[in-house]
Amino acid sequence: MARIRTIKPSMFSSLTVSAWPTDVRWTFAGLFTYLDDYGRGLDEPRLVKAELWPLDDRMTPKKVDEHLTLIANTGPLCRYVVAGQRYFHITSWREHQRVNRPTGSKIPTCPTHENGGASA
């Protein structure tokens, strides 16, 4: 099922987002389509690259990983590990997305920001 996500106009004037290089901003915006209904996703740069940059041969999984690291270090992205698998989530997801009839998450919750468990 296709997900429809919105980006608030205020994102374009965010001091945090505006400080990132343009391609990092595009990766961040694309995460809104990559992540599940709870703002969580598998932290696998190859998958993120394939989903967000499928036809751009100049973009590599290594560059995507660098983008994710910058966003995590300076913005609302949290990277975490559960049972040896890497995941990430946008910590401010609920402030920016209102999902009508969310599908249960297959991604474990963040032990730092969310209550433990596999779905919300």
Side-chain angles (χ1 to χ4, degrees), residues 5-25:
R5 303 283 192 233
T6 60
I7 298 173
K8 290 183 175 180
S10 60
M11 186 171 101
F12 297 100
S13 59
S14 162
L15 296 178
T16 299
V17 175
S18 296
W20 299 332
T22 303
D23 56 346
V24 176
R25 294 180 214 171

Side-chain angles (χ1 to χ4, degrees), residues 69-88:
T69 297
L70 178 60
I71 296 166
N73 288 341
T74 61
L77 186 70
C78 174
R79 294 175 117 174
Y80 61 100
V81 177
V82 173
Q85 180 63 56
R86 297 181 336 162
Y87 303 98
F88 53 62

Side-chain angles (χ1 to χ4, degrees), residues 3 5 35-40 93 99-104:
R3 289 173 269 177
R5 303 283 192 233
L35 299 175
D36 71 10
D37 290 343
Y38 296 90
R40 301 181 206 135
W93 182 260
V99 179
N100 187 24
R101 293 178 280 192
T103 302

